[in-house]
Amino acid sequence: LGKFNAQSGRWDGEDADPARRRQPFAPRQKSAFPVTCDENADELVGNMDWRDDGDRAGEIWPDLHDRESCGENIAFNARRVVDLARRYCTDCEGYHLSHCLRRVGQGRDRQEKRSRLVDVVAGLAAGRETVDILVAGAADTATLALCAHAVARIGALPRTRFTVLDRCETPLALCREFARRHGLNLTAARVDLSSPGRGFTADIGVLDSVLMFIAPAARVGVLHSLGRWLRPGGRLIVSMSLRLSPEAIAQDTRIKTEHAQAGLSHADGAGLHKATDDGVWAEIDRDLARNRARRRDNASADEMAALFAAAGLTEVASQRYVDEKVGPAGTVRRGERLIAVLAPRALSDSGAHQ
């Protein structure tokens, strides 16, 4: 891949080779581990014909090295999620529909967060003999994709194992499909982070925009569990929008609505006729209403620091930056996002994690 240029955020020579950026299928790399999905994959993805769906539509799946897409096909996700949500979701159908359609509608928006997280994951994975990455909470394939892209960029994909946890099978099924497309070693498990019932191990844990879906009273316990699952030298990455003003919350919901409408129009034009069902938009509407309540529960920077301390975690590094979201109609929402790299306090204080 050549040498990484920190100033441009690219690998030298990356743009000179279009085949590296986009391929119909990524070649399966020789792995340090057996390349498998978890034991439920065939049962959960059976009869969905996901391979043929993408190929018949003439779609090209981006390569994992493509810095803008991280190997995701978000239009494919938007079409797939309609069937998956109806099959698996209980009270979260609207969220998954809304999320996937919004990502289609917003196009390349929100690249800054992804770029920052990719750099953090790549930096933590570099130099490890093997890498176990745990994604705690997944709306779709976004977090898995950025993690896979990060390790692929540094040549560590063959020695990396991924675990994705979520309480709903819909995003897990999407992640399994993504893993099969790109030859990832993935375990995807249905787990409620508030009461996991079992333990996991990881070198890197990633909690991206998930805390707002966890009841405030349960957040300390969730973070404490994630910290306990880290191996010696492991790190937990927490990415979270900080508290918004009432005006910003209203702008956020308006932009989400605009992006979902744009995504719905685009997806329908690509053949997703089911997305025009009244029931689909009703579910999305319900999620947009819930968004306002979720955003009101976001913490301030000081409250996040107190939350980490209460969970027995120490900030090893952190970034705070202006997080700007722009809607198709020109609505702008400005807020602040925190990306924190955490280590269990007892171990970090002793120097074992430095």
Side-chain angles (χ1 to χ4, degrees), residues 100-173:
C100 287
L101 289 172
R102 288 198 316 265
R103 293 194 65 205
V104 172
Q106 70 190 23
R108 296 180 180 181
D109 192 19
R110 313 305 304 284
Q111 285 291 327
E112 182 173 6
K113 182 189 80 166
R114 170 173 276 191
S115 176
R116 288 173 181 265
L117 286 172
V118 164
D119 286 345
V120 173
V121 172
L124 293 176
R128 293 181 181 272
E129 243 181 75
T130 59
V131 187
D132 277 282
I133 297 178
L134 184 144
V135 175
D140 60 355
T141 56
T143 309
L144 173 62
L146 74 86
C147 290
H149 169 73
V151 295
R153 291 280 292 266
I154 62 171
L157 186 63
R159 59 179 189 271
T160 301
R161 293 180 292 207
F162 301 90
T163 300
V164 177
L165 309 179
D166 200 273
R167 67 185 183 88
C168 177
E169 289 291 352
T170 293
L172 299 179

Side-chain angles (χ1 to χ4, degrees), residues 173-193:
L174 289 175
C175 287
R176 293 183 186 104
E177 292 174 356
F178 180 87
R180 286 181 170 182
R181 284 281 180 179
H182 294 291
L184 307 185
N185 184 321
L186 172 71
T187 296
R190 188 177 177 185
V191 170
D192 184 343
L193 294 174

Side-chain angles (χ1 to χ4, degrees), residues 12 17 20 53 79 81 85 145 174 195 201 207 209 213 221 224 243 252 271 285 297 324 336 343 347 354:
D12 292 339
D17 183 4
R20 184 178 296 284
D53 178 69
R79 288 197 302 278
V81 79
L174 289 175
S195 52
T201 57
L207 192 72
S209 302
F213 294 93
H224 180 68
R243 180 170 296 140
D252 188 78
D285 254 346
D297 282 338
E324 186 175 276
E336 195 174 15
L347 294 175
Q354 300 304 314

